[in-house]
Amino acid sequence: GRYCDQPEKFPGVAHFHTMRVNQPAGKYYKTDYLRQLCDLWDFRGSGLTNMHGSTGDIVLLGTTTPQLEEIFYELTHKMDQDLGGSGSNLRTPAACLGESRCEWACYDTQELCYQMTMEYQDELHRPAFPYKFKFKFDGCPNGCVASIARADMSFIGTWRDDIRIDQEAVAAYVGGEIKPNGGAHAGKDWGPFDIQKEVIDLCPTKCMWMEGGKLNINDRECTRCMHCINVMPRALRIGNDRGLSILCGAKAPILDGAQLGSLLVPFMKVDESYDGVKEVIENIWDWWMEEGKNRERLGETMKRQGFQKLLEVTGIDPDPRHVSEPRHNPYIFWKEEEVPGGFERDINDYRSRHPK
């Protein structure tokens, strides 16, 4: 709702409401649908639209209070279209193009987005959360909907086997027969392609090297940054054992500073029931709705209570991949019942094994 403080002075904008409309998965539109939408907004609203908002919604800018129910009726009854999320509820889930267009998608983002939208209709329409909650579905670590930066729960496609290498294509890139980056930078002469400078030296974990004219990758050290695959898409392919990672807690700076998502589930295979995904979601919601303060995003509750609490409520075991860097794990502590013999120790026995 948007209301003017001085409606008697500015009657033209006494009310100028914004409506969010649930965008189709992957933002695929038919022209007749777009015409229908524009006709509706020219007739019932200001004619101004925002395609799309940061959550992903079709944003219709500016209408009056008497028109709200009319617009909602037109959208739902004649266009088979739902409103987007608003308020302290589940906001409109957003997904990238996924397997419909992208060779790097590791799971069907559009299907998972659709199933979660259908499953959690109550959470979309009946606010029950401490504050807003966002899902975003990225098919691969390139992150075309920026889920890691903007979603309380982000689902990012990944793989757990090795990157597939076509050594002949690697040689073709090195020899200049294939343009790097899919030809995206072909408008300017950058000189011959230098695999050492443009790929190997830019690997964040230094897990790549050339030997005997062949490219080698230590996949155990690979963090799936996608840079090498983006530069040489015909030479490198994502692995075949595909699934997704779940990250939690990303947000903009509201109560606290901006946060990126923290890795919660390193890898999960995606089946058609999505039971594993739903279990993680619902365990987090149960805890957050109980413990979250008013207007506190999930990331702020995590920061206040600690990441270990999130692991406990989801039943996920601590994993080295939860730690961003060595000796930087401020949330994994042993409980007495988890330690053989408890915390009681014989000091003399200890000193016999650890002399001063």
Side-chain angles (χ1 to χ4, degrees), residues 202-340:
L202 296 178
C203 176
T205 58
K206 309 299 180 192
C207 69
M208 310 179 75
W209 70 98
M210 291 292 287
E211 191 174 311
K214 293 193 172 183
L215 181 66
N216 295 277
I217 302 175
N218 178 5
D219 285 272
R220 287 177 61 85
E221 294 297 317
C222 174
T223 56
R224 315 290 191 264
C225 79
M226 298 293 290
H227 174 71
C228 60
I229 297 175
N230 291 335
V231 175
M232 302 192 298
R234 287 172 64 177
L236 301 173
R237 290 276 190 275
I238 63 173
N240 286 317
D241 188 7
R242 300 169 192 168
L244 57 79
S245 299
I246 301 177
L247 293 87
C248 294
K251 66 179 196 68
I254 304 168
L255 294 182
D256 210 337
Q259 290 173 211
L260 290 177
S262 298
L263 180 66
L264 178 66
V265 179
F267 186 86
M268 177 186 288
K269 296 292 277 187
V270 185
D271 59 35
E272 290 183 3
S273 69
Y274 303 110
D275 288 339
V277 171
K278 292 175 192 172
E279 184 180 358
V280 175
I281 291 169
E282 289 164 20
N283 284 337
I284 288 173
W285 279 351
D286 289 344
W287 168 66
W288 180 55
M289 285 195 284
E290 186 72 27
E291 298 292 338
K293 295 179 180 179
N294 188 36
R295 293 181 69 81
E296 184 176 63
R297 295 284 290 271
L298 175 64
E300 285 146 353
T301 308
M302 287 166 54
K303 198 170 182 181
R304 184 165 55 82
Q305 295 210 353
F307 192 85
Q308 186 177 14
K309 188 67 180 174
L310 187 67
L311 294 177
E312 288 173 12
V313 299
T314 53
I316 294 168
D317 294 328
D319 185 286
R321 289 168 290 187
H322 290 141
V323 181
S324 62
E325 60 199 37
R327 302 187 186 280
H328 189 83
N329 53 343
Y331 48 78
I332 296 173
F333 304 97
W334 297 108
K335 293 190 174 71
E336 188 166 358
E337 61 269 18
E338 296 172 338
V339 178

Side-chain angles (χ1 to χ4, degrees), residues 46-47 77 97 110 121 123 140 148 164 174-175 177 181 191 201 203 257 287 315 321 331 352 354:
S46 69
H77 289 71
L97 296 171
Q110 291 174 273
Q121 279 294 301
E123 286 71 20
C140 78
I148 194 172
R164 293 170 289 158
V174 172
E177 297 157 41
N181 299 287
D201 289 348
C203 176
W287 168 66
R321 289 168 290 187
Y331 48 78
S352 69
H354 302 278

